[in-house]
Amino acid sequence: MGYIKLVLVFALSMPVFSLAQSTDDTDSDANTVTQEETAVEVEPVEDQDTTPARSNVEKIEVTGSHIRRTDIEGPSPVVVIDRAEIEASGMNSVGAVLRQSTASPFGSDGVTVNLRGLGSAKTLILINGQRAPAEGSSYSTGAVSTNLVPLAAVDRIEILKDGASATYGSDALGGVVNIITRKDIDGLAFANQYNMTNQNGSDSNRLSLAYGTQTSDSNFLTAIQANYVQGDRVSDRDYSGLSLFATPVYATNYFDDAENLRPGPNCQRFNDFGQCADADRSRFISDPAYGFDWVTQYSHDITSDTEFYTTLITGYGRTQSRSPVVFLEPGVGSGISFTGAESPTTWNSLPGYTGGDTKVFHRMDNLVNKETTQNYYAGLITGLKGYFGNSDWQWDATLNNQINTITDTEENVGRFSATKEAVVNGAYDPFNPAQQDVSGIGADTFNRNRYMVNWAEFKTNGSLGSFLGFDWASAFGVSAAHFEYSDHRSAIFLEGDAMGQSGVTGSAGRELYALFTELSGLMATNFEVQLSLRGDFYSDFGSTINPKLATRYQPFKWLTFRASAGTGFQAPTLQQMNTSLEGFYNNFRDPLRCGDPGIQDCALKSTTASQSLNPNLEEETSLSLNFGTVVQPTENFSLGFDYWRVKVEDVIGSAFSQALRIEDDFGPGVLANYGVQIIRQNDDPTGEIQRIIYTLQNLGTQEAEGLDFDANYRLDTGIGKFTFNNQLSYMFHFYQEFVDLYGREDIVGRQGLPRWRNNFSINYKQGRWGGFVLARSTADMLESGNISQNLKSIPSPTQFDVAATYTHDYAGEFQLGVINLGNIRPRFSVEQTIDTTLFRPTETFYFTYRNDF
C-alpha cells in the first residue's frame, strides 16, 4: 500500500515539472483567469503557449496549504487572531494569547498549545510557515514554545484546527499554529506592560521595541522584547494553602508498625488527617526571572521576479529557585526507606514504632538547593523565491537552521547515599533539631542539553489552467533535514545517587527526506476540492505517507460547507528512541503478595526501575475528519460550526504504571506483550520485587470527538462600535487506552479535562476610547482521584477579564486592565490545587503603554 501512495506522489507532481519548465512571453494582463473571475472559453490555437500568465491579483500562502490563494478562507478551519484582537486582549506574549483561546480544549500553560487535547507535542508551531526551534532534553515531550517571537513583531496568529501531516509532516497531527510577523512598520514602535498581582511577588514587566523601514524593493524589521518577573515565595500565594497542609511529604512524618503515617514529635501544625503538615513550602522561593526575545527580518527584491528574504530569531531566558532539600529516594519517590537494622535505636520512642522497617519524610531546612536554568535558542531562516519566467509559477528555496540549548546547574543536590549514612550513624536525626549536621550531604551538579536541526526545502506552486470545469492549481516540494540532540549530566545522576532525580545521558542524530504535493480545483468560485499527499522518509525508524482530501462548497454567498479527511503522524522523538532511564519506583504495594493469604505482605515498597531502549518504535498515526459550515447572513453577522473527530493509534507510552495490576490479574507471562519485566527475588513467582525493567511501546490509542462553534456580530450605534464574539469548544468523548486488557475509557469530565470551554467577549470602540470584556467559562469537573470512587463534582466559575483603552494622536495608547476581576476561583476541597492551565489563580492588574514614532 505504501508503494501505491508513493507512486501517487510522483504522479501528482508531474504537471508541476512540465509547467515549471515552460514560460509565457505574452502580456501579463492578457487572457488571465483567476479564482475570482469567470473563465472565458478561448478557441485553441496551434502551437500556442498555454502556460497561465501571472495574475495581478495578489495571492498569499495560508496555513494548511502550499498553494497560494486570494483569500484565507479555505476548505479547512483556520482561526485568525489579528493584531487588533491581540492588543485589545491585554496579553503580553503569544503563549498568553493562546492560553485564553478555546483552541486548547483542555487548556494550556501559557508556553505551549494543545489543539484537540491530544498533547502539546502533537501541535506544530510555525513562524512564517517555517518550523520553530525545539528543545533537546532527554525528558522532552516534543512540545515547542509559542513564545519565541516578541509580540511587538507579531501581525497575526493563524490556528489550523485540523490535521495537516499531509502538508507539513510530523507533529501537525492535532493542528498547526502559525505565527506571522509584521511587515507594516515604518519607524519605531514602543510598548511596555506592567502586571501586578493581588498576591505578594510575581509582578512582571515586559518591554518591547520594534523598528521597521520600507522601500520600493525592500522591507526591514527588528524587534526585541525584554521581560522581568519578580521573585515570590510559594506560601505567599493564598491559593497554595489548598495543598500546603494537605500533603505531608515535605514535613517530618514516618510510617509506624501498622503503616499509618504519623507526625514527628516536633510537629507544629497538623492537617485534617492528623499528619504533620507544617507550612511545607514556606521556604520554596522563586528568584527574579528575566529574558529577551529578538527577531530581525529582511527582504529585498533582487530583480522584479526574484526576492531574497531572511529571518533571525534568537532569545535567552533565565530562572532560579531555592528550596530546602527533602528526603527523597532517587527517581521521584517521597521519603527514604529504612530497614529495622538501619533505623537508629532512638526512634523506638516514636509512637507506634518498635524498630521495624519504616519510611521517613523530612525537610532539611539547613540545606538549601539552588537551581538555575538558562535557555539559549536561535533560528536562522534564509531563502530565495521568484517566478519561472512570466508564468504564474512561483518557486521558493529555503534553509532553516535551528539550535536550542538548556543548561541547568544546581547547588546542594541531596546525595542519597550520604543522607542515609548520616541518618544511620546518628549525624543527622530528622526528629531532633539539635542533631542535624548536613556536612557532606549536598553536591553541585549540572545538566546540559542541545537540540539542533538543519532544514533545506524547495517548493513550487502555480496554476495548471482550466479543464473539466475547474480552475486547477498545484504545488510540489522536496525537503531534507538533519536532527541532532545531546544530553549530558553530572555523575551523581548517572550513578542514581541524586535524591529525587534520575540519571540519563544520551546523544543521537537522524536524517529526514520528504516529498509533498497538492492539487486544488475551483469550479465557478463556489466549489473547491483539494488533495494533499506527503511522503516522509526517516533514517532511523522508517517511512510514512499521508494523504488528505478537503472540499469547500458555497451554494450561496452567505452559506459555506467544508469537509476534510486525512491521515497524520508523529515521529518518535530522538529522545524516545535513544534514551535509557535509571531510577526508582517508590511507595507501591505489591498486589500479588498482598492478596496471597499465605503472605499478606501489604507494606509500601520501593525498588529500582529502568527504561531500556526500544529500537523498534514506530510513528504514532492518526485519522482526522472535519465537517463544518459557515453562515453569514449579513456583513456584520457570522456563525461557524465544525464537527471533528480524530483517532490516534500506536501512541507511544509504557505499561509500567499498570504492570503490577496486569501481573496480578493475568499472570507474569502477559507482561512481555507490553514490554515490561518484573524481576523477583530468587526467581520466586511470589518473591519480593527486586527490579522492574520496561520499554516504550506503540501500545496506546486516543480518540477525540467534538464540536467547535464560533459566532461574531458587529453593531454600529450612535455611542460606538461593538463587536461580540463567542467561541465554544465542546468535547463529546475523549477515549484513551494504553493497555487493551482493560479496554478504553472516556476521560472527559475529570479534573483538568473539561467537557467544554466557552469564551464570550465584547470589544467596544468610540473615537479615542476602547473597551474589552472577556468571560471565560469552563464545565464543572470531578476532583482528582480514582475514577471508581465517588468523586465530588467541583463547580467551575466564570472568570472575567476587562480592559479600557485611550488613544491620543501624539501621546500614544494607554490601556488599563484586570485579568480575573474579583479574584474568582474554583472552590476545591482541601486536597485540590488550582489548575492554572484552565484558570487564572490570581487577580492581575496591568497597565500598557504603546506608541508608534
Side-chain angles (χ1 to χ4, degrees), residues 9-143:
V9 172
F10 289 101
L12 286 172
S13 66
M14 290 305 293
V16 178
F17 280 124
S18 61
L19 283 171
Q21 294 173 2
S22 63
T23 59
D24 189 349
D25 295 329
T26 61
D27 188 283
S28 61
D29 293 332
N31 301 325
T32 301
V33 177
T34 73
Q35 293 183 349
E36 272 127 7
E37 296 174 342
T38 303
V40 179
E41 188 173 341
V42 180
E43 291 294 328
V45 179
E46 187 176 357
D47 298 329
Q48 178 178 332
D49 187 351
T50 59
T51 303
R54 195 177 312 160
S55 169
N56 288 329
V57 178
E58 181 183 4
K59 295 182 180 181
I60 58 174
E61 187 170 313
V62 300
T63 304
S65 175
H66 292 301
I67 299 175
R68 292 170 296 132
R69 305 174 58 88
T70 56
D71 62 75
I72 203 168
E73 189 68 40
S76 293
V78 177
V79 176
V80 179
I81 306 174
D82 61 28
R83 183 155 189 82
E85 293 177 87
I86 293 172
E87 292 183 348
S89 72
M91 298 298 102
N92 59 11
S93 69
V94 174
V97 173
L98 295 172
R99 182 183 186 181
Q100 303 289 76
S101 171
T102 61
S104 292
F106 297 152
S108 68
D109 58 6
V111 177
T112 59
V113 62
N114 181 9
L115 299 183
R116 300 306 189 211
L118 299 171
S120 300
K122 295 181 178 64
T123 298
L124 178 64
I125 306 300
L126 303 175
I127 300 173
N128 292 330
Q130 300 290 330
R131 287 172 175 261
E135 67 174 79
S137 167
S138 292
Y139 300 97
S140 172
T141 62

Side-chain angles (χ1 to χ4, degrees), residues 193-348:
Q193 183 178 97
Y194 184 81
N195 289 3
M196 181 177 65
T197 71
N198 67 334
Q199 310 282 321
N200 293 329
S202 286
D203 291 358
S204 64
N205 191 76
R206 190 177 297 260
L207 182 149
S208 62
L209 193 64
Y211 173 76
T213 182
Q214 303 175 50
T215 68
S216 59
D217 60 0
S218 66
N219 186 289
F220 173 79
L221 169 68
T222 186
I224 188 168
Q225 180 171 271
N227 63 85
Y228 171 87
V229 181
Q230 184 184 31
D232 65 29
R233 186 185 295 263
V234 173
S235 59
D236 287 340
R237 295 284 183 255
D238 62 355
Y239 60 85
S240 66
L242 294 171
S243 63
L244 281 179
F245 306 110
T247 57
V249 297
Y250 295 112
T252 303
N253 293 272
Y254 66 94
F255 279 113
D256 64 14
D257 294 340
E259 298 180 21
N260 297 313
L261 192 63
R262 292 216 181 196
N266 297 295
C267 185
Q268 301 297 314
R269 190 163 184 173
F270 299 85
N271 64 15
D272 292 349
F273 308 100
Q275 301 156 355
C276 188
D278 192 10
D280 46 85
R281 298 196 179 188
S282 61
R283 303 186 186 184
F284 282 56
I285 299 171
S286 294
D287 290 325
Y290 55 86
F292 74 86
D293 306 289
W294 178 33
V295 61
T296 296
Q297 62 184 32
Y298 174 70
S299 62
H300 177 70
D301 295 335
I302 300 175
T303 68
S304 59
D305 288 337
T306 307
E307 176 186 325
F308 167 80
Y309 61 90
T310 184
T311 302
L312 172 66
I313 304 162
T314 187
Y316 168 80
R318 183 183 186 276
T319 61
Q320 183 173 285
S321 62
R322 289 172 289 151
S323 61
V325 176
V326 296
F327 276 18
L328 296 170
E329 306 249 359
V332 294
S334 301
I336 294 182
S337 298
F338 295 90
T339 66
E342 295 170 331
S343 302
T345 56
T346 56
W347 293 6
N348 292 340

Side-chain angles (χ1 to χ4, degrees), residues 130-164:
Q130 300 290 330
R131 287 172 175 261
E135 67 174 79
S137 167
S138 292
Y139 300 97
S140 172
T141 62
V144 176
S145 171
T146 59
N147 291 333
L148 303 177
V149 178
L151 201 60
V154 175
D155 178 68
R156 64 185 186 277
I157 304 168
E158 296 180 359
I159 306 172
L160 173 65
K161 297 197 289 186
D162 197 10

Side-chain angles (χ1 to χ4, degrees), residues 657-835:
S657 63
Q658 299 193 58
L660 298 180
R661 178 186 176 190
I662 295 171
E663 182 190 46
D664 188 45
D665 291 343
F666 301 98
V670 178
L671 287 174
N673 299 332
Y674 301 95
V676 181
Q677 181 184 7
I678 298 178
I679 300 174
R680 293 183 176 272
Q681 189 174 27
N682 301 324
D683 293 328
D684 183 347
T686 60
E688 289 206 34
I689 296 174
Q690 303 294 301
R691 185 172 176 80
I692 301 177
I693 303 173
Y694 66 98
T695 62
L696 295 178
Q697 302 274 314
N698 294 98
L699 52 78
T701 62
Q702 295 175 317
E703 188 172 352
E705 180 184 18
L707 177 71
D708 291 338
F709 168 75
D710 184 55
N712 291 277
Y713 179 59
R714 290 181 298 175
L715 177 65
D716 292 347
T717 71
I719 59 173
K721 298 179 180 180
F722 294 86
T723 301
F724 303 89
N725 175 263
N726 194 88
Q727 294 180 337
L728 170 68
S729 172
Y730 187 92
M731 190 81 71
F732 295 116
H733 303 286
F734 194 103
Y735 295 111
Q736 188 163 277
E737 176 184 281
F738 282 94
V739 176
D740 54 8
L741 295 171
Y742 300 111
R744 66 178 187 173
E745 54 183 343
D746 190 352
I747 62 175
V748 167
R750 301 187 190 180
Q751 178 66 28
L753 307 169
R755 185 167 297 279
W756 55 263
R757 292 184 69 197
N758 190 84
N759 284 354
F760 175 72
S761 65
I762 303 174
N763 204 333
Y764 169 76
K765 187 70 175 177
Q766 173 66 11
R768 300 179 185 275
W769 292 93
F772 178 77
V773 178
L774 172 63
R776 294 178 280 109
S777 303
T778 303
D780 296 347
M781 293 169 282
L782 296 176
E783 61 184 355
S784 61
N786 191 322
I787 198 66
S788 63
Q789 300 171 348
N790 186 22
L791 299 178
K792 179 182 178 183
S793 179
I794 305 299
S796 297
T798 296
Q799 295 186 323
F800 294 88
D801 302 341
V802 299
T805 305
Y806 175 77
T807 305
H808 188 274
D809 292 339
Y810 304 106
E813 182 178 278
F814 303 85
Q815 185 179 51
L816 184 65
V818 185
I819 300 171
N820 188 17
L821 178 66
N823 200 29
I824 301 171
R825 297 190 297 236
R827 295 184 297 275
F828 289 122
S829 60
V830 69
E831 293 88 356
Q832 304 301 308
T833 57
I834 293 177
D835 187 342

Side-chain angles (χ1 to χ4, degrees), residues 494-757:
L494 306 180
E495 295 166 357
D497 199 30
M499 287 203 294
Q501 303 188 50
S502 299
V504 59
T505 186
S507 61
R510 69 163 43 138
E511 271 67 49
L512 163 66
Y513 303 95
L515 300 171
F516 52 89
T517 188
E518 291 181 36
L519 183 65
S520 175
L522 183 66
M523 175 184 289
T525 73
N526 67 344
F527 180 70
E528 179 181 5
V529 60
Q530 185 180 82
L531 175 65
S532 305
L533 193 62
R534 181 182 174 105
D536 291 86
F537 309 91
Y538 287 81
S539 61
D540 48 3
F541 75 87
S543 61
T544 176
I545 298 176
N546 293 277
K548 180 179 179 180
L549 177 65
T551 62
R552 179 178 64 88
Y553 176 52
Q554 190 173 3
F556 308 103
K557 185 177 180 180
W558 54 271
L559 180 63
T560 302
F561 298 99
R562 59 191 176 203
S564 65
T567 64
F569 80 101
Q570 183 181 29
T573 66
L574 281 172
Q575 294 90 325
Q576 289 172 329
M577 296 196 68
N578 298 280
T579 300
S580 297
L581 301 178
E582 187 69 34
F584 281 73
Y585 182 34
N586 302 295
N587 301 330
F588 68 87
R589 286 186 172 87
D590 186 343
L592 191 150
R593 289 175 59 83
C594 183
D596 189 323
I599 303 175
Q600 292 187 333
D601 179 6
C602 300
L604 289 175
K605 304 290 184 179
S606 296
T607 188
T608 60
S610 66
Q611 175 187 302
S612 56
L613 298 180
N614 180 5
N616 299 317
L617 273 183
E618 298 180 350
E619 73 276 13
E620 301 179 1
T621 61
S622 71
L623 174 64
S624 300
L625 302 174
N626 191 93
F627 302 94
T629 182
V630 178
V631 181
Q632 189 169 2
T634 70
E635 183 180 354
N636 294 331
F637 179 53
S638 67
L639 295 172
F641 301 87
D642 279 282
Y643 165 82
W644 56 271
R645 185 173 184 175
V646 57
K647 184 176 183 180
V648 186
E649 297 182 307
D650 303 318
V651 176
I652 296 174
S654 167
F656 171 76
S657 63
Q658 299 193 58
L660 298 180
R661 178 186 176 190
I662 295 171
E663 182 190 46
D664 188 45
D665 291 343
F666 301 98
V670 178
L671 287 174
N673 299 332
Y674 301 95
V676 181
Q677 181 184 7
I678 298 178
I679 300 174
R680 293 183 176 272
Q681 189 174 27
N682 301 324
D683 293 328
D684 183 347
T686 60
E688 289 206 34
I689 296 174
Q690 303 294 301
R691 185 172 176 80
I692 301 177
I693 303 173
Y694 66 98
T695 62
L696 295 178
Q697 302 274 314
N698 294 98
L699 52 78
T701 62
Q702 295 175 317
E703 188 172 352
E705 180 184 18
L707 177 71
D708 291 338
F709 168 75
D710 184 55
N712 291 277
Y713 179 59
R714 290 181 298 175
L715 177 65
D716 292 347
T717 71
I719 59 173
K721 298 179 180 180
F722 294 86
T723 301
F724 303 89
N725 175 263
N726 194 88
Q727 294 180 337
L728 170 68
S729 172
Y730 187 92
M731 190 81 71
F732 295 116
H733 303 286
F734 194 103
Y735 295 111
Q736 188 163 277
E737 176 184 281
F738 282 94
V739 176
D740 54 8
L741 295 171
Y742 300 111
R744 66 178 187 173
E745 54 183 343
D746 190 352
I747 62 175
V748 167
R750 301 187 190 180
Q751 178 66 28
L753 307 169
R755 185 167 297 279
W756 55 263
R757 292 184 69 197

